[in-house]
Each structure stands twice: as structure tokens, then as C-alpha cells.
Amino acid sequence: MKNYVLTPGPVPVPEFVMLEMAKPIIHHRTAEFEEIFHKAGQGLKKVFMTNEEVMILATSGTGAMDAAISNTLNRGDTTLVINGGKFGERWGKICKAYGVNFIEHIVEWGKAVEVKEIEEILLKNKNIKAILVQASETSTGVEHPIKEIAKLTNNRDDIILVVDGITAVGAFPVEFDKWGIDILIGGSQKAFMLPPGLAFISLSKKAWEFTKNSNLPKFYLDLNQAYKNSLKNTSPWTPAVNMVMGLNAVLEYFDKQGLENVFRRHTILSKATTQGFESIGLENFAKGCTSTALSVIKSPEGIDAGDIIKGLKEKYGMIVAGGQDQAKGKIFRITHMGYVDKSDMISVIAGVEGILNEMNYPFDAGTGVSTASKILDTM
Ligand SMILES: Cc1ncc(COP(=O)(O)O)c(C=O)c1O
């Protein structure tokens, strides 16, 4: 049976990227590789929508989240963690590991944070040095209002806005310079259509100022080291050479398509999938604040999402992600990032319809597929 990986990371990698990564190894301390590294850095700036340096780290996304904290803060500092899901929760865990205090603002799963509430917390707690948030919370499928949150921080020099854009950057616009974000993080195994293993991070001038006073321990992920080396088109440690080669293939593809069309593709896949499922009575978990990087769909009353996920895998070879913690058994999650297209979305909706039919869930079989198809035809 053919395997379809339709999880919101890792995602399927296009063949042209695999072939690029299959090329023979180049030594990293050579002019040839420096050229490749330089090109990748320049291409990333366009996706990050910034003139600042974007550093390429050989780590998964969490490594870059860790670096964002360890390079800018001090033991005993206070941050504001926006926790609306598993990845928001992770900000708090990283703070705890470094002895950084945090005020945890819990947001109901499936809802976006209210900017007004952040404003109130900032008014009451003048000592907050960083807001830590996700642009796209992958555990719930929610897009948080980063542009609006940035308005609370971009005219203050005593607080930075740190944005985990791991399932946002490359999927929809996150305008680093224009909005005034201070730290933005991307991850290879998401909209960048690469295997896991690289993270990308950019810092504003304000965030670089913060690094000067930071006394938290760091070595491998010392961003000042990464920055100095990045300016010389290299990295302090051995880079993931072939992944960077693959990254260039992706960035060239983005350029050829036009970034706006890359974003549009995610939007159409998201619209088709959420509306397709809605037409057969399956609700969008993040209604009104949907991240177009993935669809998070609620299983119908009385049906365990785990059974849908199991059925998709066993009957059709399709792998989608489930919910974690409080959402376990209630939702399933489908990627719009990576090498997925119309036929993948049609197939997964048809697969779910097939399983629901067997469970005697009452609906008009085929409605989900036909609703989605009409939207996908606008692609
Ligand atoms: C929003 C978000 N943040 C952080 C992470 C963690 O990244 P990684 O698993 O690459 O360390 C993920 C991974 O799924 C994510 O989706």
C-alpha cells in the first residue's frame, strides 16, 4: 500500500528537492559551499520578509525556540507565555529550564489570543521582557494575531516579541520587518518542504541589543556566533550541508512560483479541506482563526477521532495527526504544507467519508469531496 504522509510536519518532500539533497557531499569550508550558504541566507530573507540576517541552525524547531530564550534573557527575568496549545506550553517549559519566570496566559484550545488581554497583562506587569507566542499553533490549527500583538511591543525598547513561526513562515505572510517582530523562527519540515533537521531564526536590532546583556548559558546555539559566521557565509559548526542544498532548491521554487502564490496554494487547500468537511457536518476546530498551514477537524459527536485516524492508516495508507492532551480523540490534523496538492486533499476527505460511512454516520456520501473539489478548482 502506498503511504501518504499528511501530517503537519514532517511533510512530504518533492522529488526535485530529494534529488538535490542526493548530490555528493561538498566540504563546508570551501568557496563552493559558501556560495550555497549565502544563496540560502538571501532566499530566506525574502520568506521572512526581512532585511535582517536569517540564520540557519542544524537543529529542529525547538532548538531555535531554546536559542531565542537563552540568547536574549537573564535568569529571573519575566516573560509572558501565550499558551493556547502544546507549542505555547513549550515556551513555558523552556523558560522553566533556564530559570526564567513566566506569566502563563492560558487561551482556550481552538481560539486565538485576545490582544486586549495581552495589553492588560502588560499594563499590570511592567517588568515583562518578552512575549512568547506562536504565529500558528499546530496542536489546534489556530493563527494568533501577530501583527496586532506587535503593535504593543514595537514602540517599546524594553520588551521583545518572540514568534514561533514554525508552521507559519512559508505558509502565510509573517511580516518580520513591517510588523516589528523581534524574533521569528521557521522550521525545515513544514512549509519549507524539507526533511526535519534545520531551523531558521532572525533577530531584530532590538533583540540583538537584548543578547548583549543575556547571561543564560549557551554554546552550540550561541546566536552571536551564528550571526558572525553567517555574515561570512558559513556557520560556526558543521552545517547540514545537503539539507542546505535542498533548501536552495525550495527557495528557487518559491521564487519561481512567487511567494504570494505559495501562500495562495495553502489558503485554497485550507479552504477546500475545512469547507469540505463542514459540508458533511465535521467542524473546523479553529473556526474564525484558522491557520492555513493545516486543517484541524473535529470528529463527529460519539465518534473517536482515533478511530478515523486508525481507519485512514489501515484502509488507505494515509497518515494524519491526532489531537494531544485535552484534544485527544476529538480532532484530526491534516497538513497543507509540503508536497501536497489537490488530489491529496480529495483523497483524505474521500477516505474519511469512507470510514464514516462504515460507522453509519448519517451524511450524504460524496458531498465533502464535491464541496472541496469546487474550491480546489480555483487553484
Ligand atoms: C508551532 C510549532 N512549534 C514548535 C514545534 C517544534 O518543532 P520541532 O519538532 O521541529 O522541534 C513544532 C513542531 O511540530 C510546531 O509545529
Side-chain angles (χ1 to χ4, degrees):
M1 198 191 293
K2 189 173 166 186
N3 255 342
Y4 296 82
V5 176
L6 296 172
T7 52
V11 299
V13 176
E15 196 175 305
F16 71 89
V17 179
M18 305 273 261
L19 290 173
E20 190 61 30
M21 292 187 301
K23 284 185 177 168
I25 294 272
I26 295 172
H27 194 274
H28 58 293
R29 305 291 178 210
T30 58
E32 196 183 355
F33 186 71
E34 282 169 15
E35 163 104 29
I36 290 170
F37 203 80
H38 173 72
K39 212 169 142 197
Q42 294 305 309
L44 282 170
K45 286 184 184 189
K46 291 190 203 161
V47 190
F48 271 64
M49 303 180 164
T50 185
N51 289 318
E52 302 296 337
E53 203 67 13
V54 182
M55 288 154 294
I56 303 169
L57 308 175
T59 167
S60 79
T62 307
M65 292 171 76
D66 187 309
I69 304 287
S70 69
N71 281 266
T72 56
L73 298 171
N74 292 301
R75 193 172 278 275
D77 276 352
T78 300
T79 67
L80 171 59
V81 166
I82 308 301
N83 177 356
K86 285 307 283 179
F87 297 106
E89 180 187 63
R90 188 166 300 178
W91 281 128
K93 289 186 176 171
I94 299 170
C95 285
K96 191 163 173 224
Y98 281 110
V100 169
N101 301 321
F102 59 99
I103 297 166
E104 193 166 42
H105 181 55
I106 306 277
V107 179
E108 187 187 335
W109 283 35
K111 299 265 187 298
V113 65
E114 295 281 344
V115 180
K116 192 106 210 75
E117 289 175 4
I118 298 184
E119 199 173 4
E120 279 161 17
I121 297 169
L122 294 185
L123 269 175
K124 276 192 217 135
N125 301 275
K126 305 268 189 219
N127 61 339
I128 291 173
K129 287 191 69 180
I131 300 178
L132 312 173
V133 65
Q134 273 60 40
S136 165
E137 171 53 75
T138 324
S139 63
T140 62
V142 163
E143 178 183 349
H144 286 304
I146 301 303
K147 183 180 175 183
E148 303 307 315
I149 299 171
K151 289 181 185 156
L152 304 176
T153 55
N154 63 17
N155 56 3
R156 282 178 55 182
D157 57 15
D158 58 337
I159 178 166
I160 51 172
L161 174 61
V162 182
V163 178
D164 164 359
I166 290 169
T167 54
V169 180
F172 56 83
V174 187
E175 302 195 35
F176 187 93
D177 286 354
K178 203 162 151 197
W179 296 353
I181 293 168
D182 294 300
I183 299 188
L184 181 61
I185 297 163
S188 60
Q189 78 276 27
K190 309 284 185 174
F192 287 94
M193 307 196 293
L194 288 160
L198 293 183
F200 317 116
I201 186 166
S202 191
L203 276 72
S204 69
K205 295 195 171 52
K206 196 206 296 183
W208 283 118
E209 279 303 308
F210 271 54
T211 69
K212 289 184 186 161
N213 300 317
S214 163
N215 65 7
L216 294 178
K218 55 213 152 254
F219 182 74
Y220 180 70
L221 294 172
D222 182 334
L223 295 179
N224 274 292
Q225 284 286 347
Y227 180 76
K228 269 188 243 151
N229 281 268
S230 193
L231 292 181
K232 292 186 276 174
N233 303 320
T234 186
S235 57
W237 335 112
T238 308
V241 172
N242 290 47
M243 288 278 291
V244 180
M245 285 157 55
L247 171 61
N248 273 345
V250 172
L251 294 169
E252 267 172 37
Y253 165 80
F254 282 1
D255 247 5
K256 240 191 253 159
Q257 292 282 308
L259 208 45
E260 65 288 357
N261 290 321
V262 172
F263 296 152
R264 187 166 173 270
R265 177 167 54 85
H266 290 88
T267 305
I268 294 176
L269 293 176
S270 156
K271 223 169 124 188
T273 309
T274 50
Q275 292 190 17
F277 280 117
E278 266 168 352
S279 71
I280 55 167
L282 273 61
E283 269 179 72
N284 171 2
F285 190 62
K287 206 171 172 64
C289 50
T290 309
S291 161
T292 54
L294 71 157
S295 283
V296 179
I297 307 297
K298 276 163 97 168
S299 60
E301 258 322 292
I303 294 181
D304 191 315
D307 292 335
I308 297 177
I309 295 163
K310 192 164 168 260
L312 283 175
K313 167 95 173 60
E314 287 175 359
K315 270 191 84 164
Y316 305 106
M318 290 178 191
I319 300 152
V320 304
Q324 295 151 287
D325 295 354
Q326 56 178 277
K328 197 169 165 55
K330 296 189 180 138
I331 56 170
F332 56 95
R333 300 178 295 136
I334 301 165
T335 186
H336 303 312
M337 302 171 288
Y339 187 38
V340 291
D341 65 6
K342 289 183 189 184
S343 62
D344 295 298
M345 296 308 117
I346 296 280
S347 304
V348 73
I349 297 170
V352 173
E353 284 199 5
I355 290 155
L356 292 177
N357 226 352
E358 280 179 0
M359 292 173 167
N360 296 320
Y361 168 72
F363 73 111
D364 269 340
T367 304
V369 167
S370 68
T371 306
S373 294
K374 279 185 206 126
I375 298 166
L376 290 168
D377 281 346
T378 62
M379 220 159 162

